[in-house]
């Protein structure tokens, strides 16, 4: 996945103190990914730019791609982040500059740690199934890990949650003693939950975490506050538990994490710490520098970086007044 807006906004985040529990309903905005695929982008939001280390959340589909090329995200670079690919339906071919060649399928978590730099492409295969539906998220890496060697790891076996009318998968982090094997660098959580009509569940929560609930399909509610399809309900910190229910049924993604303590500058597909660092990555991508090796070879189709904004990228609060 790539931020392909022609004039991507800059998101710079400054750590602030915990704000306590709150309910902020944030509708995702529609963004075109290439010419064919429309996504609902819930993070970064104008008001809430991060939830823990989660700095990017795209939901695409369900889209009938039987008469279209499907996903065409050509080779592009990343730095300073991890990408989390969680496909709900369909198939996508991931290829990267480490030599990984993976047919991504539903039920498997694919975690790409960009670290100091990686290049990847995400393309629908020629023999793709008719429906494409999935999520991609980014995690900002802390200073201790952001220059690490890049890696790509697939996790087909993840801990399952079962309850009355509820089934779920712990994608990253730990919930109720169930621990995902996925490597993380700050305390955080992601859980995919399917709620049958009328289902309710109370999940343990960590008061030091901030949480958000994104409705992928259908609707759900936290403490009676409803969140509909392609909306993110930001929940703040200071919660000992999360009381979920769904009247009509829904599939939701629960995100959590300790508020990210470092200032980041996020521009296009790069996470850095200031303007010059990000501008440097952009130049290295233009120059095809060693930081960004080829996925296939140097003649492959790539995504060109947009122009840098005319003003210097500068820090903004990770939370803004509404
Ligand atoms: Mn990407």
């Amino acid at each position: 996945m790539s931020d392909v807006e022609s004039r991507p906004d800059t998101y710079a985040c400054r750590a602030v103190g915990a704000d306590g529990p709150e309910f902020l309903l944030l509708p995702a905005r529609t963004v075109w990914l290439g010419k064919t695929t429309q996504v609902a982008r819930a993070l970064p939001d104008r008001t809430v730019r991060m939830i823990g280390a989660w700095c990017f959340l795209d939901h695409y589909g369900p889209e009938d791609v039987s008469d279209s090329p499907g996903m065409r995200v050509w080779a592009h670079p990343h730095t300073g982040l991890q990408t989390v690919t969680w496909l709900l339906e369909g198939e996508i071919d991931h290829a990267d500059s480490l030599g990984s060649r993976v047919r991504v399928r539903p039920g498997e978590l694919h975690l790409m740690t960009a670290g100091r730099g990686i290049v990847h492409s995400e393309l629908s295969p020629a023999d793709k199934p008719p429906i494409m539906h999935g999520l991609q998220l980014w995690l900002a890496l802390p200073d201790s890990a952001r220059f690490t060697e890049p890696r790509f790891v697939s996790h087909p076996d993840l801990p399952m949650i079962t309850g009355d009318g509820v089934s779920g998968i712990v994608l990253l982090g730990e919930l109720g003693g169930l621990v995902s094997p996925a490597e993380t660098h700050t305390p955080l959580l992601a859980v995919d939950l399917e709620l049958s009509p009328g289902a309710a569940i109370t999940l343990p929560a960590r008061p030091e975490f901030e949480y958000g609930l994104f409705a992928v399909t259908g609707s759900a509610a936290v403490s009676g506050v409803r969140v509909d399809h392609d909306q993110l309900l930001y929940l703040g910190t200071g919660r000992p538990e999360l009381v979920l229910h769904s009247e009509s049924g829904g599939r939701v993604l629960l995100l959590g994490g300790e508020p990210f303590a470092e200032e980041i500058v996020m521009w296009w597909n790069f996470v850095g710490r200031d303007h010059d660092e990000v501008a440097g990555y952009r130049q290295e991508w233009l120059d095809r520098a060693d930081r960004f090796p080829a996925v296939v070879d140097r003649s492959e189709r790539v995504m060109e970086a947009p122009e840098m904004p005319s003003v210097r990228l500068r820090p903004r609060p990770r939370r803004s007044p509404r």
Side-chain angles (χ1 to χ4, degrees):
M1 199 65 59
S2 165
D3 185 346
V4 291
E5 290 176 87
S6 55
R7 297 177 60 190
D9 282 327
T10 308
Y11 298 95
C13 304
R14 179 180 299 129
V16 293
D19 298 314
E22 54 189 308
F23 294 101
L24 283 180
L25 194 58
L26 311 169
R29 61 205 163 91
T30 301
V31 173
W32 285 94
L33 195 67
K35 291 193 173 69
T36 53
T37 300
Q38 192 175 307
V39 306
R41 181 160 298 164
L43 286 177
D45 174 83
R46 293 269 167 212
T47 306
V48 175
R49 301 201 174 90
M50 297 177 82
I51 297 174
W54 298 106
C55 59
F56 185 93
L57 167 54
D58 265 4
H59 172 217
Y60 51 90
E63 178 190 348
D64 186 341
V65 292
S66 45
D67 294 322
S68 83
M71 188 169 288
R72 303 274 90 182
V73 179
W74 306 107
H76 60 279
H78 287 290
T79 60
L81 55 80
Q82 292 176 292
T83 68
V84 174
T85 300
W86 183 241
L87 201 57
L88 306 176
E89 215 172 333
E91 295 180 355
I92 291 171
D93 283 340
H94 164 96
D96 65 41
S97 51
L98 305 171
S100 316
R101 300 286 183 271
V102 174
R103 175 70 52 97
V104 174
R105 296 190 170 89
E108 312 160 343
L109 184 81
H110 299 276
L111 181 63
M112 186 178 80
T113 303
R116 62 183 303 276
I118 199 167
V119 182
H120 74 146
S121 63
E122 296 156 293
L123 306 170
S124 291
D127 56 346
K128 63 190 180 305
I131 301 297
M132 180 174 75
H133 188 198
L135 297 162
Q136 189 173 105
L137 301 99
W138 297 354
L139 282 165
L141 289 170
D143 275 337
S144 57
R146 69 194 190 95
F147 299 117
T148 191
E149 289 301 305
R151 47 199 175 270
F152 181 87
V153 181
S154 301
H155 295 285
D157 295 311
L158 296 164
M160 310 283 291
I161 299 164
T162 51
D164 196 12
V166 178
S167 64
I169 303 175
V170 181
L171 305 180
L172 296 102
E174 176 268 334
L175 185 76
L178 300 171
V179 183
S180 164
E183 180 186 31
T184 57
H185 298 274
T186 52
L188 58 88
L189 176 70
V191 183
D192 179 0
L193 281 170
E194 182 96 49
L195 303 171
S196 302
I201 188 169
T202 297
L203 302 174
R206 300 189 194 186
E208 71 275 20
F209 272 27
E210 54 184 342
Y211 289 95
L213 192 80
F214 178 75
V216 179
T217 59
S219 67
V222 182
S223 299
V225 178
R226 181 176 163 132
V227 52
D228 281 311
H229 162 250
D230 281 341
Q231 293 177 337
L232 174 66
L233 181 61
Y234 178 73
L235 297 163
T237 58
R239 293 178 186 271
E241 60 182 24
L242 298 166
V243 181
L244 272 53
H245 83 274
S246 178
E247 262 169 47
S248 52
R251 186 167 189 171
V252 297
L253 180 71
L254 173 65
L255 298 179
E258 280 184 9
F260 199 72
E262 298 167 29
E263 284 186 358
I264 70 168
V265 171
M266 181 169 155
W267 181 83
W268 195 43
N269 296 311
F270 305 127
V271 172
R273 293 296 183 269
D274 59 34
H275 178 99
D276 291 339
E277 183 186 343
V278 166
Y281 293 145
R282 177 183 179 276
Q283 190 60 48
E284 285 185 275
W285 174 240
L286 293 182
D287 295 343
R288 304 294 183 263
D290 291 345
R291 183 187 301 279
F292 300 122
V295 173
V296 180
D297 59 49
R298 287 300 185 192
S299 67
E300 73 194 305
R301 185 157 176 186
V302 302
M303 217 176 258
E304 295 302 335
E307 292 296 321
M308 291 295 290
S310 53
V311 294
R312 282 181 67 81
L313 309 177
R314 57 189 170 81
R316 286 192 287 164
R318 60 180 281 281
R319 287 285 306 277
S320 295
R322 300 205 87 187

